[in-house]
Amino acid sequence: MVKFSVTKLGPDHIHTPHDGGGARDVFVDGRKVEGAFYVDTKRGIVDYYPRPLKIHKRGKRVITRRLRGHVEVVRKADG
């Protein structure tokens, strides 16, 4: 049986902007990823908004990208 340490909105290995964990830096295979909005360190997945932002011409939604690899999440220092 796998026991997860659950925060307010999910398990510890999933990070989102509104999960209450504060500001974080995300790294995939040692490279920093800007604009990450979903990170799963257990599965090695990072979904992010590439810069500059692009809108899909028919769906009127922001285009996203997915990276896979060794994912690390580092909490930013306060101050």
Side-chain angles (χ1 to χ4, degrees), residues 2-60:
V2 177
K3 183 179 178 183
F4 293 107
S5 174
V6 178
T7 60
K8 184 177 179 184
L9 295 176
D12 282 342
H13 63 92
I14 296 178
H15 303 273
T16 61
H18 303 291
D19 65 359
R24 292 160 277 204
D25 287 328
V26 177
F27 297 90
V28 176
D29 295 331
R31 293 186 175 178
K32 188 174 180 180
V33 177
E34 298 290 335
F37 63 91
Y38 175 82
V39 178
D40 188 337
T41 58
K42 191 173 184 179
R43 293 173 52 200
I45 294 173
V46 175
D47 290 336
Y48 72 101
Y49 298 114
R51 301 284 186 216
L53 290 177
K54 295 180 182 178
I55 305 296
H56 189 272
K57 65 182 178 181
R58 292 193 183 107
K60 305 298 184 203

